[in-house]
Amino acid sequence: MYQALKASRSTFVPIRHLEYHVRQWGEPQAGQAPLVLVHGWMDVAASWQFMVDALTDDQWIIAPDWRGYGLTKGSGPEPDNYWFADYLADLDALLDHFAPGAAVNLVGHSMGGNVAMMYAGVRPERIRRLVNLEGFGMPETRPAQAPGRYAQWLDELKALRRGEMDLKTYDSVEGVARRLMKTNPRLGADKAGWLARQWAAPDAEGRWAILGDAAHKVVNAHLYQLPETLAIYERIAAPVLSVTASDDSLSQWWKGRFTLEQYHERLKAVPNLHNAVIEDAAHMLHHDQPERLAQLIEGFLADTA
């Protein structure tokens, strides 16, 4: 099984009625901006371990489990759906806790990349440099889609209450590892075995349950507003590195409804943009090519141009 080279420590921070679980690697460095890593949908902070191990520079790294994922917990009942703006508010509070008044280096993957891009436009003074790993956003919508979207949201809330959206459980941690490798064929058995123990845990019946709330599967009631997104992108002051994988995830997911060409067209709104491609990688590029990604990120963070 994979052996982590750099040990992380867990911290629980009270954030907006939640006990936010945050992994940290390294210690604060005088004069150095902290590196903040935010994960994607149905993932956890520990997912960054392979890339963290590949980093050569000594850095203080902060990686939260988003609300409804990993070990982050609330004191009240679980929500029946999640709102994107809450991630912005959670990140804002976390940065106020760990780096008050300071600009940070922010890296986000997938959903976390979307959060990072939006936050950087809303709070441009808080970001020194930003790396977006396949945080594409969503297909453009039309107002006429609103009635159907609200109806879908209502229907899925009912389905969630009936248990129809529950996440699958597994009879063993090996079953979880096999699931991870089926989703990502590039993920070796050693890494899958390690990651499975971070991504899932035994439940009351002894089955291995994913550390993610099924309510994340409920569709967002609000339509994705591309003009709003572009207006936010225009306000990003930090240099931005957009990293995509050589495998085209968008074509697989959206079947032509949203393309890489359209994504790159949107990125033209970002004032200071750099693009890079990681070869021989799919959407989980921090698992597929952690060494190459670490090298790319370190070079970008060190560049003072």
Side-chain angles (χ1 to χ4, degrees):
M1 187 187 302
Y2 183 83
Q3 297 295 318
L5 301 179
K6 299 176 184 176
S8 68
R9 61 189 183 278
S10 288
T11 305
F12 288 88
V13 182
I15 296 290
R16 305 182 66 230
H17 308 292
L18 296 166
E19 286 296 313
Y20 240 91
H21 176 243
V22 181
R23 289 188 181 273
Q24 296 183 66
W25 293 265
E27 301 292 341
Q29 305 287 323
Q32 183 185 66
L35 176 59
V36 180
L37 310 176
V38 290
H39 68 77
W41 190 81
M42 284 298 163
D43 206 353
V44 293
S47 183
W48 295 104
Q49 183 70 54
F50 313 136
M51 190 196 78
V52 168
D53 283 344
L55 293 171
T56 59
D57 295 338
D58 290 332
Q59 299 194 56
W60 178 32
I61 300 172
I62 302 164
D65 287 336
W66 286 126
R67 57 175 55 219
Y69 294 114
L71 303 180
T72 291
K73 299 295 181 185
S75 56
E78 293 288 342
D80 60 3
N81 65 145
Y82 289 84
W83 300 93
F84 193 84
D86 276 321
Y87 299 120
L88 300 181
D90 292 351
L91 180 59
D92 198 49
L94 283 163
L95 296 189
D96 285 347
H97 176 85
F98 285 104
V104 305
N105 294 316
L106 182 60
V107 178
H109 172 249
S110 195
M111 183 192 81
N114 293 327
V115 176
M117 293 286 285
M118 302 298 276
Y119 184 81
V122 174
R123 293 276 200 237
E125 73 281 1
R126 298 308 308 275
I127 306 302
R128 177 186 173 270
R129 285 183 174 256
L130 188 156
V131 181
N132 177 11
L133 308 176
E134 299 227 326
F136 299 119
M138 301 293 286
E140 187 173 6
T141 61
R142 304 180 309 279
Q145 296 172 251
R149 173 63 66 85
Y150 279 114
Q152 181 184 357
W153 177 66
L154 292 173
D155 290 343
E156 290 186 1
L157 289 176
K158 293 179 181 179
L160 180 74
R161 289 194 290 271
R162 293 192 297 264
E164 296 171 8
M165 302 183 78
D166 288 353
L167 301 178
K168 180 181 177 180
T169 60
Y170 300 84
D171 58 2
S172 66
V173 69
E174 290 79 17
V176 178
R178 288 192 294 271
R179 171 67 174 81
L180 289 167
M181 288 188 289
K182 180 180 179 181
T183 302
N184 181 8
R186 288 186 175 89
L187 187 66
D190 58 338
K191 289 180 178 177
W194 184 90
L195 189 59
R197 289 166 169 80
Q198 322 300 321
W199 199 57
D203 61 16
E205 286 74 41
R207 293 185 62 80
W208 282 74
I210 305 306
L211 296 175
D213 188 352
H216 285 293
K217 296 169 65 177
V218 175
V219 71
N220 195 320
H222 294 160
L223 296 177
Y224 183 81
Q225 300 295 332
L226 181 58
E228 293 181 8
T229 298
L230 296 180
I232 291 173
Y233 282 6
E234 290 171 355
R235 294 189 70 247
I236 298 176
V240 175
L241 175 63
S242 169
V243 184
T244 55
S246 56
D247 289 9
D248 183 356
S249 301
L250 281 181
S251 293
Q252 299 171 29
W253 297 336
W254 297 112
K255 310 301 183 185
R257 288 177 53 207
F258 182 26
T259 67
L260 271 177
E261 182 180 2
Q262 290 172 318
Y263 169 63
H264 286 295
E265 185 65 28
R266 295 178 185 184
L267 289 181
K268 291 179 180 179
V270 178
N272 189 347
L273 178 70
H274 308 260
N275 287 292
V277 177
I278 298 288
E279 297 294 337
D280 191 22
H283 186 59
M284 302 299 282
L285 65 181
H286 54 309
H287 296 168
D288 296 346
Q289 299 293 343
E291 293 84 6
R292 175 68 187 114
L293 182 59
Q295 182 184 34
L296 190 64
I297 290 174
E298 285 186 318
F300 179 68
L301 298 184
D303 187 357
T304 58

